[in-house]
Amino acid sequence: DAKTTQPNSMESNEEEPVHLPCNHSTISGTDYIHWYRQLPSQGPEYVIHGLTSNVNNRMASLAIAEDRKSSTLILHRATLRDAAVYYCILSTGAGSYQLTFGKGTKLSVIP
Amino acid sequence: SQTIHQWPATLVQPVGSPLSLECTVEGTSNPNLYWYRQAAGRGLQLLFYSVGIGQISSEVPQNLSASRPQDRQFILSSKKLLLSDSGFYLCAWRFRQGPGNTIYFGEGSWLTVV
């Protein structure tokens, strides 16, 4: 399975932009890049996903490198509620469509 | 709209006792279903997934098992719990078509084996 690599932790000041990186050098042409986040004692929630083009939604933006070997989740203005573990995962093109989560990046937001 | 429920939310079980966690999805049909486990301070580990009734794939060999007796029902079981089975268990579902689909998680079940 294609794997992702993320920093273990990051810090950001409140109301500043945050760029969360993810490397996925073995990504295949049909793999989608998904981002989820998990608050303490809760199940992960969907943030954003993309295939080749950059994507924007109300929560965040996803910037995908041209070679697709890396991507960056961008939170435009971090709030205290954004403090969570962020997972970057690849959705395989295989028939089972399983999603394998890594350890993610723990984002701390400093007031 | 679709919803996912799992229960019980919390349970404390002695070593060697059986386990049954149940998950149901409403508002959709033929979903892919998943069981994940998260040990304290760790990432999510995929345990089982199912693409249809009676079709179970295991990702990690262990003393847990899963069953899908109905299209929108997914059950995680164990005949004899181990201390190492403690953790946060999450059921999830996803539309079957395409790797671009979002996965949706339930509220989670906290299991403590004592």
Side-chain angles (χ1 to χ4, degrees):
Chain A
D1 291 340
K3 296 189 184 296
T4 62
T5 304
Q6 300 176 253
N8 290 332
S9 61
M10 292 184 63
E11 277 188 357
S12 173
N13 293 319
E14 195 176 10
E15 298 190 1
E16 289 188 355
V18 182
H19 289 67
L20 297 165
C22 181
N23 289 321
H24 28 78
S25 58
T26 59
I27 191 171
S28 71
T30 56
D31 287 347
Y32 278 75
I33 302 159
H34 290 247
W35 283 83
Y36 289 79
R37 71 179 186 183
Q38 185 178 23
L39 300 172
S41 299
Q42 295 186 24
E45 64 172 343
Y46 169 79
V47 177
I48 201 167
H49 77 281
L51 183 61
T52 56
S53 303
N54 294 343
V55 183
N56 299 295
N57 66 22
R58 63 175 182 82
M59 290 181 69
S61 296
L62 176 60
I64 301 173
E66 195 169 337
D67 63 5
R68 299 206 332 122
K69 293 184 177 182
S70 66
S71 61
T72 302
L73 178 71
I74 302 167
L75 306 179
H76 296 287
R77 288 184 64 202
T79 70
L80 297 179
R81 289 177 295 178
D82 291 323
V85 177
Y86 286 79
Y87 296 98
C88 164
I89 56 178
L90 300 181
S91 178
T92 72
S96 59
Y97 304 133
Q98 53 186 300
L99 288 178
T100 302
F101 287 73
K103 294 183 179 180
T105 297
K106 184 175 182 179
L107 175 66
S108 301
V109 179
I110 303 168
Chain B
S1 63
Q2 300 83 23
T3 57
I4 179 171
H5 300 287
Q6 63 176 105
W7 66 93
T10 306
L11 66 165
V12 180
Q13 295 285 97
V15 170
S17 64
L19 170 72
S20 181
L21 299 178
E22 189 164 341
C23 171
T24 59
V25 179
E26 297 177 357
T28 187
S29 58
N30 300 317
N32 284 351
L33 295 172
Y34 306 84
W35 278 111
Y36 287 86
R37 176 173 64 194
Q38 188 170 37
R42 307 289 294 275
L44 286 160
Q45 180 186 35
L46 178 61
L47 300 176
F48 302 94
Y49 64 92
S50 171
V51 298
I53 296 174
Q55 300 178 62
I56 309 295
S57 296
S58 175
E59 289 296 297
V60 182
Q62 57 208 330
N63 68 317
L64 299 173
S65 62
S67 62
R68 185 170 177 174
Q70 300 180 42
D71 180 45
R72 293 170 292 171
Q73 183 185 27
F74 207 23
I75 299 171
L76 182 70
S77 304
S78 175
K79 293 182 179 179
K80 288 186 177 182
L81 285 168
L82 307 172
L83 287 174
S84 58
D85 292 324
S86 294
F88 189 44
Y89 288 81
L90 288 156
C91 180
W93 76 273
R94 192 180 188 193
F95 286 113
R96 183 165 297 178
Q97 300 88 345
N101 290 326
T102 301
I103 188 168
Y104 299 94
F105 287 85
E107 306 93 340
S109 299
W110 284 101
L111 171 65
T112 303
V113 182
V114 296

